[in-house]
């Protein structure tokens, strides 16, 4: 056995151990009761800002799903993962479509579900390394087996990036629209959902053509479907075990507030038919 072959075996073994540990690490069960702040992605951003000598701090405030407008839930699911309640963390059809788009455009198109994005943001990195994708798949599988769709969505909405230093829907709502997440209108929610693929490049209150077109598409889909429908029943009505209290976390006076996972109250007050998009779709 030559040295090259021995080295190859050692490298493969180390890689297998590195990937395999994600079947038991991290402790995803803690997500049931713990609000995971800061995330790995937030830490990476802080390192990037420091390397670039940029004085930016994390702006994040935790809110329960009961304090997030149903408009946001609808817009984000339509824009990011329309099959969220139908798959077990992996949207095979979406992946196939992403591959087809990648081949046609000669670029790498995204096809990740919300659960996959959550796994990456919480524990990994934005790298497109195939090994990282395997780790992401393992964690996604574990998260889907361990916590409810409602809790997955709540965590995702609270950690998603919406601009330089802006994390979570509450901070995004206040930063861009000067209001709380529970008061966002349908079109404001559509604008915020539209920039999620690249929140550093796109601004939800800007006039970029991509944002206008994508927001209008999401908005019109929301209009067509209505605010509340049966597919969102799990979000609107939490399980009993999810009505527990989560201890608040305060870090150096930053806006990070953990509280109970409250039910989202059904209401007839949020009617998107009264709103009009800023730029009509042709």
């Amino acid at each position: 056995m030559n040295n090259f072959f021995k080295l190859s075996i050692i490298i493969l073994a180390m890689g297998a151990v590195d990937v395999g540990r994600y079947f038991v690490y991290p402790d995803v069960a803690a997500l049931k009761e713990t609000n995971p702040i800061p995330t790995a992605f937030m830490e990476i951003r802080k390192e990037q800002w420091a390397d670039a000598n940029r004085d930016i701090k994390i702006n994040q405030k935790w809110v329960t799903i009961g304090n997030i407008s149903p408009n946001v839930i609808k817009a984000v699911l339509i824009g990011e993962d329309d099959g969220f309640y139908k798959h077990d963390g992996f949207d095979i059809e979406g992946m196939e479509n992403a591959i087809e788009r990648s081949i046609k455009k000669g670029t790498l198109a995204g096809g990740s579900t919300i659960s996959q994005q959550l796994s990456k943001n919480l524990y990994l990195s934005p790298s497109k390394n195939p090994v990282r994708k395997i780790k992401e798949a393992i964690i996604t599988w574990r998260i889907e087996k361990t916590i409810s769709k409602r809790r997955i969505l709540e965590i995702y909405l609270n950690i998603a990036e919406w601009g330089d230093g802006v994390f979570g829907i509450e901070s995004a709502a206040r930063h861009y629209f000067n209001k709380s997440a529970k008061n966002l209108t349908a079109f404001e929610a559509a604008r915020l959902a539209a920039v999620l693929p690249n929140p550093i490049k796109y601004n939800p209150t800007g006039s970029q053509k991509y944002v206008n077109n994508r927001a209008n598409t999401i908005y019109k889909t929301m209009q067509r479907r209505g605010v509340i429908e049966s597919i969102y029943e799990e979000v609107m009505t939490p399980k009993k075990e999810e009505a527990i209290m989560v201890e608040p976390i305060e870090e150096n006076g930053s806006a990070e507030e953990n509280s109970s996972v409250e039910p989202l109250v059904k209401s007839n007050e949020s009617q998107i038919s009264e709103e009009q998009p800023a730029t009509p779709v042709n």
Side-chain angles (χ1 to χ4, degrees), residues 177-192:
F177 298 107
N178 197 31
K179 61 173 63 175
S180 66
K182 66 182 177 183
N183 293 323
L184 287 168
T185 67
F187 197 65
E188 288 167 346
R191 299 283 300 186
L192 287 167

Side-chain angles (χ1 to χ4, degrees), residues 23-72:
F23 281 104
V24 293
Y25 168 86
D27 179 17
V28 298
L31 296 176
K32 292 180 180 179
E33 302 180 12
T34 303
N35 296 334
I37 300 296
T39 66
F41 196 80
M42 290 177 188
E43 297 293 355
I44 289 171
R45 281 293 189 227
K46 286 194 284 188
E47 291 176 5
Q48 292 173 342
W49 298 330
D51 291 341
N53 293 318
R54 301 181 67 192
D55 185 19
I56 301 176
K57 295 182 180 179
I58 297 294
N59 176 13
Q60 193 273 347
K61 178 179 174 62
W62 194 280
V63 289
T64 62
I65 204 165
N67 286 313
I68 299 174
S69 168
N71 291 323
V72 173

Side-chain angles (χ1 to χ4, degrees), residues 41 45 68 71-82 84 110-115 117-118 120-121 126 128 152-164 166-173 176-177 184 187-205 208 210-212 214-215 218 222:
F41 196 80
R45 281 293 189 227
I68 299 174
N71 291 323
V72 173
I73 293 169
K74 178 68 67 86
V76 170
L77 290 180
I78 290 171
E80 290 294 288
D81 189 357
D82 210 18
F84 181 67
S112 296
T113 63
I114 282 177
S115 299
Q117 293 179 51
L118 182 64
K120 176 184 67 177
N121 290 351
K128 299 185 184 298
I152 289 172
L153 186 57
E154 179 178 67
I155 298 173
Y156 175 77
L157 289 173
N158 275 286
I159 69 166
E161 185 177 36
W162 259 290
D164 268 337
V166 182
F167 287 86
I169 187 60
E170 182 68 15
S171 293
Y176 293 110
F177 298 107
L184 287 168
F187 197 65
E188 288 167 346
R191 299 283 300 186
L192 287 167
V195 305
L196 278 172
N198 195 333
I200 301 301
K201 180 179 180 180
Y202 300 116
N203 186 323
T205 57
Q208 294 153 306
Y210 169 85
V211 177
N212 287 338
R214 183 172 171 82
I218 293 171
M222 293 168 71

